[in-house]
Amino acid sequence: MPRVTIEKVAERAGVSVATVSRALRGLPNVSPKTRERVVSVAAMLNYRPDPNAARLAAGRTRTIAVGVVAIPIWYTGQVVSGIEAVLTSQGYDLTLLLIADEFVRSRAFGDVGGGVSKRADGAIIVDLVPTTPERTLLEGHQLPWVMVGADCPTIDSVMIDNAEGAASATRHLLDLGHTKIGLISGGPSAFPASSPPQRRMGFLRALQEAGVRFDPKAERVGDFSALGGYEAMQAILALDDRPTAVFAMSDEMAMGAMRACEEAGLDVPGDVSVVGFDDVDWAFTVGLTTVRQDATELGAIAARLMIRRLEGESCDRQVVMVPTRLVERDSTAPPAQS
């Protein structure tokens, strides 16, 4: 017996293929009467959905391209996990696209806008702000996309307030009585809307509001890695006027900083207080005071926004700010009396 197609159900129910698909998947924008008729016809014809055929009939792949800068980073993994959980629950697939240096970026965004648009219904870009030409590549192919980790004009964006998160970490150290505070930063960024410059801005703003002068020599780049944080902290500890506390822009760098303190025979927090950012899974095991962000929820929200766009829900541009909070543990304390 030939397989009953979705087109046959649509014809018998007197509706479009798209309406049949929405009705059978329980999606909105289908009247109760129409949904009841479609379900009844499908049952009468003993219709069984063919996922591949349904995608082709609807003119959609039900696949979302996710562009990431680097896969082995905790933040990226958490965001992608949140995206995947939502997409899977809604019958979508995910394809990862690695976007790295300038040459790869130009090719990757061209792929997203051109080749990938033939294999994906939309794109979610994680922690990377596309340049104007890159946005043009995406928008020129009318591919819907969502930004995670930064605000991008005219595009749905999901992020945290990086500046305020860094400021809260710095205010915590100031409230403990520290006035000589070092900074382990993520390095230079060409994009002011991305996390490193925003976190640096929040750090400096908190110091300025407290009337505390920042010594530029007390800033070192850690490149968001444990080894980078370790080497940055070694340089900070070698300063003549050593800081009594350090804010690291990520927990990985904070862990490296704590290791450098240990090797130098310094106690954390007795001699040096350390604050991180992220609250990764292992942060509590080392007693790290840090700024918690829910990276998984960032990804989940981005996926929901994407699905809303793809399912035809009309809404204005969305900018969702997910809150952070300071988690106080054992790596911070008042400065030792000299």
Side-chain angles (χ1 to χ4, degrees), residues 109-281:
F109 277 105
D111 286 343
V112 172
V116 172
S117 67
K118 300 175 184 176
R119 308 191 304 274
D121 298 328
I124 299 175
I125 309 299
V126 181
D127 210 32
L128 178 66
V129 184
T131 63
T132 298
E134 289 165 349
R135 289 203 302 270
T136 301
L137 282 171
L138 291 169
E139 294 166 355
H141 291 271
Q142 298 183 329
L143 187 75
W145 53 291
V146 177
M147 267 299 309
V148 179
D151 190 8
C152 191
T154 75
I155 300 301
D156 289 341
S157 301
V158 186
M159 72 197 88
I160 62 171
D161 190 335
N162 282 286
E164 178 53 32
S168 69
T170 309
R171 285 194 293 265
H172 170 65
L173 295 173
L174 291 165
D175 290 343
L176 289 172
H178 294 278
T179 55
K180 294 188 294 183
I181 304 174
L183 174 65
I184 300 179
S185 65
S189 172
F191 305 103
S194 60
S195 59
Q198 289 183 344
R199 292 180 190 179
R200 188 176 190 276
M201 179 178 66
F203 169 78
L204 295 175
R205 183 184 72 201
L207 292 181
Q208 184 179 33
E209 290 173 350
V212 173
R213 176 184 168 276
F214 176 60
D215 182 358
K217 294 193 298 294
E219 177 179 358
R220 291 294 188 275
V221 173
D223 292 322
F224 287 100
S225 71
L227 178 59
Y230 170 81
E231 294 174 344
M233 192 66 182
Q234 284 184 317
I236 289 174
L237 294 178
L239 295 173
D240 292 334
D241 191 17
R242 188 184 72 208
T244 61
V246 168
F247 167 55
M249 287 187 184
S250 76
D251 288 349
E252 285 92 342
M253 293 191 293
M255 172 64 91
M258 293 172 72
R259 176 66 176 172
C261 289
E262 179 184 358
E263 288 190 0
L266 298 174
D267 178 68
V268 175
D271 298 309
V272 182
S273 287
V274 177
V275 181
F277 199 116
D278 287 330
D279 197 22
V280 300
D281 300 336

Side-chain angles (χ1 to χ4, degrees), residues 2-10 45 47-48:
R3 184 187 185 95
V4 177
T5 66
I6 192 172
E7 290 87 355
K8 187 65 175 179
V9 176
L45 296 177
Y47 169 68
R48 295 291 182 270

Side-chain angles (χ1 to χ4, degrees), residues 318-329:
Q318 301 291 301
V319 178
V320 181
M321 194 74 73
V322 178
T324 62
R325 72 180 180 89
L326 181 73
V327 180
E328 296 182 37
R329 295 195 179 103

